[in-house]
Amino acid sequence: MTTATHSWPRRIGRALLILLAILALVVVSNANLRNKAGCLLFINGVTSASCVVPMPYQLPDEFAEAEAFALGYQAYVVGAVYARSQILMEKDTNPDAPLNAPLNAFNVYPGLATPGAAIDFTPNNDTVYGLAWLDLSQGPVLITIPEVPNRYWTVQATDWALNTFSYIGKRVHSPPGTYAYVAPGWQGELPASVTRMESPTNGVFLQARTVVQPEVETDIAPVVAQLKTYRLQPLNPDAQYPQIAPGTPVPNPKLNNPLWQSLEFYSLLNRAWTFGGVREQDKEVVAQFAKLGIGPGLTFDPAALTAAQRAGLQRAVETAYQRVMLHSQENGEIRNGWRFATNLGAYGNNRMLASAIGLMGYGANRAEEALYLPAFLDHENQPLVSDRNYRIHFTADNLPPVNEFWSITLYSRPENQLKDNPIKRYAFGDRTPTLQRNADGSIDIYVQQERPEGDKAANWLPSGESGPIWMILRMYGPKQAALEGKFTPPVVERIDD
């Protein structure tokens, strides 16, 4: 055997040693490789996380869809009321809307609500409205109210989840002056003699209401003029607020908008939580929706989700809409076909009810300010429809017990809007000019399409064109007996059979 034959194993060995030395230098110089090598060689002291080898994993479709449904359903229940606030604000502050005003300014309606009055919630037909949407993100907004004539008036302030957090008005004996709406936790100083009212959210909805005698224009016009003297202004004169550009499409907040049952709802919800804010008690709940791109400051992008997740969310938005709408007929207890409840206007953690009222009516008062008793069924538990005739008979000793006034207003279903009719009467109550009492002091109200014969026509509440209807008995300034549930309205009696 030659010397060359004996030397090649040594040469290969030296080459391998050189390669191992180079590899060792590379490993030592790289922390991640150092830990990986240590993990493989079972060396103590290496980072345990480096021993985890990432594996590609995707939740099976059936679980992904179920999880998206659960989160999407809960997001709808919690957020529908926020979303309704947002889309109403976006419409009312759009310069191309029929009646509009910018943020932090009143929009005073020119009279009582009518079917064509561009009011997108369920309005009363008793008071003239002045509505305003506030943005407290850049500091307090001040409201100055002059002397108000001796009649019922109120300014209700609700947060973005429709909870009433303050009243100015007759019931609470508010004097003329300036009041300040401030954001949650605001620590600045207000001018002397300005009353502080802290909102749970940056977004605020104001409803100024002043009662008038319906169908009497000489009583309505002065109230419209008086409401226009209410003044809103930011405390910070340099504050800049978002404005909607002319030409921007005016959104449709009504429930016939397909948005309420489509994935587009979650984009609206994100805008609502970003602009108006989230109540402190809702933040922990809202945080869990972020994995689907739902939450304040997020952009909801269906394309970033799997097909299973999109399917789950679509099923959630359809199911939750139906469930929330049904809940409006579950709250409270039925009394002679009228639903009695005292928990409106301040919902706490009852998020289902807040969203139900947000979609069905929006802006309900607290019970001490007004009670709302809806009726959907007649005395035989049949749905109310406009092509049947009904009578509501109040005995003299069972009239609605109020300190201010009462009325019954009729609405279409499912639009929840006033119905056009030949005499332009949308409500009947204790201030209706033609009101006639029977000889014993009782009152009969006739709800039907055609004018009743004879003297009955004085107490006619027209039901308009054929279709489903419902009514609300409103009691402003309810007496203690009403608040304690000691008053039961009469049945809605069907009289055409």
Side-chain angles (χ1 to χ4, degrees):
M1 187 176 294
T2 66
T3 303
T5 303
H6 286 289
S7 63
W8 71 263
R10 288 195 296 271
R11 291 175 181 174
I12 291 175
R14 285 197 296 268
L16 288 174
L17 288 173
I18 293 171
L19 286 174
L20 286 173
I22 293 172
L23 180 60
L25 286 172
V26 171
V27 169
V28 169
S29 63
N30 186 294
N32 184 50
L33 291 175
R34 210 165 46 241
N35 277 316
K36 296 297 184 186
C39 180
L40 291 172
L41 296 173
F42 302 102
I43 299 174
N44 291 330
V46 301
T47 305
S48 59
S50 63
C51 296
V52 178
V53 180
M55 298 289 290
Y57 178 77
Q58 183 174 326
L59 196 66
D61 284 351
E62 60 181 305
F63 294 108
E65 181 178 350
E67 182 180 63
F69 173 82
L71 292 174
Y73 181 93
Q74 190 173 15
Y76 199 105
V77 169
V78 173
V81 63
Y82 287 91
R84 191 84 195 286
S85 297
Q86 183 71 18
I87 197 169
L88 285 167
M89 180 275 291
E90 291 177 351
K91 187 225 174 180
D92 289 349
T93 58
N94 189 307
D96 294 331
L99 287 171
N100 65 82
L103 288 168
N104 306 325
F106 269 114
N107 180 11
V108 177
Y109 282 68
L112 290 176
T114 65
I119 298 179
D120 296 295
F121 49 89
T122 306
N124 71 50
N125 196 243
D126 308 295
T127 68
V128 177
Y129 282 102
L131 307 180
W133 298 94
L134 309 186
D135 179 358
L136 306 182
S137 65
Q138 299 183 57
V141 175
L142 309 180
I143 181 172
T144 301
I145 297 179
E147 189 73 40
V148 178
N150 186 25
R151 62 172 78 209
Y152 173 81
W153 69 281
T154 185
V155 180
Q156 177 192 13
T158 54
D159 65 18
W160 227 229
L162 213 50
N163 294 281
T164 304
F165 65 88
S166 79
Y167 278 107
I168 307 169
K170 180 181 178 183
R171 180 183 61 84
V172 293
H173 309 290
S174 301
T178 300
Y179 303 78
Y181 299 104
V182 307
W186 185 77
Q187 299 296 321
E189 292 187 8
L190 294 171
S193 75
V194 172
T195 303
R196 174 191 175 107
M197 297 177 293
E198 183 170 329
S199 169
T201 58
N202 285 335
V204 172
F205 179 49
L206 297 186
Q207 293 183 86
R209 302 177 178 96
T210 302
V211 70
V212 296
Q213 188 172 3
E215 305 174 28
V216 180
E217 186 57 36
T218 55
D219 191 57
I220 296 172
V223 169
V224 173
Q226 194 272 334
L227 278 169
K228 290 182 178 179
T229 65
Y230 292 8
R231 186 161 54 93
L232 287 166
Q233 66 180 71
L235 178 63
N236 177 8
D238 298 322
Q240 299 292 319
Y241 298 94
Q243 294 184 342
I244 297 175
T248 302
V250 179
N252 172 20
K254 292 187 173 72
L255 301 186
N256 61 3
N257 186 340
L259 170 148
W260 297 108
Q261 298 187 68
S262 75
L263 294 185
E264 188 182 353
F265 167 82
Y266 296 108
S267 294
L268 172 63
L269 182 56
N270 280 4
R271 297 200 305 274
W273 281 334
T274 300
F275 173 85
V278 180
R279 294 188 308 157
E280 188 64 36
Q281 65 213 78
D282 291 341
K283 288 181 178 178
E284 186 175 355
V285 177
V286 170
Q288 66 184 320
F289 310 136
K291 67 185 301 179
L292 295 174
I294 301 170
L298 300 179
T299 298
F300 178 70
D301 180 11
L305 305 175
T306 66
Q309 288 174 317
R310 288 193 296 272
L313 283 179
Q314 182 59 48
R315 188 163 58 92
V317 75
E318 294 172 3
T319 305
Y321 172 82
Q322 298 296 333
R323 182 65 188 92
V324 168
M325 294 299 290
L326 284 173
H327 189 62
S328 65
Q329 298 185 45
E330 294 176 326
N331 185 53
E333 60 176 298
I334 295 292
R335 298 182 176 183
N336 280 349
W338 303 86
R339 188 167 290 279
F340 175 81
T342 59
N343 59 349
L344 303 186
Y347 305 100
N349 289 326
N350 193 343
R351 300 175 177 101
M352 177 80 79
L353 181 59
S355 284
I357 299 302
L359 294 184
M360 276 290 292
Y362 200 85
N365 279 291
R366 296 176 67 128
E368 58 267 30
E369 193 74 27
L371 284 175
Y372 304 84
L373 281 68
F376 298 89
L377 307 173
D378 65 18
H379 70 294
E380 294 183 342
N381 292 323
Q382 296 300 307
L384 300 177
V385 291
S386 58
D387 51 2
R388 287 179 171 169
N389 297 343
Y390 303 96
R391 180 181 66 171
I392 304 171
H393 177 74
F394 288 97
T395 61
D397 60 355
N398 193 45
L399 294 172
V402 294
N403 294 312
E404 298 298 342
F405 59 91
W406 64 268
S407 69
I408 295 176
T409 310
L410 186 145
Y411 302 96
S412 62
R413 293 184 67 188
E415 300 84 7
N416 305 324
Q417 295 293 301
L418 302 174
K419 295 194 69 176
D420 200 10
N421 62 80
I423 64 172
K424 309 301 180 185
R425 176 178 289 170
Y426 312 107
F428 196 95
D430 57 3
R431 292 153 298 105
T432 302
T434 63
L435 170 64
Q436 288 191 7
R437 297 174 185 264
N438 301 318
D440 61 358
S442 64
I443 298 174
D444 287 309
I445 301 174
Y446 297 93
V447 182
Q448 56 192 69
Q449 284 182 321
E450 303 298 327
R451 179 187 296 270
E453 297 180 355
D455 293 341
K456 294 179 181 179
N459 291 1
W460 177 31
L461 177 56
S463 55
E465 65 181 17
S466 297
I469 59 174
W470 64 294
M471 295 180 282
I472 296 179
L473 169 60
R474 285 181 171 86
M475 301 167 61
Y476 273 82
K479 292 183 177 180
Q480 195 61 31
L483 292 171
E484 293 175 356
K486 297 177 181 178
F487 165 72
T488 299
V491 297
V492 180
E493 178 188 7
R494 191 173 69 252
I495 59 174
D496 59 343
D497 293 343

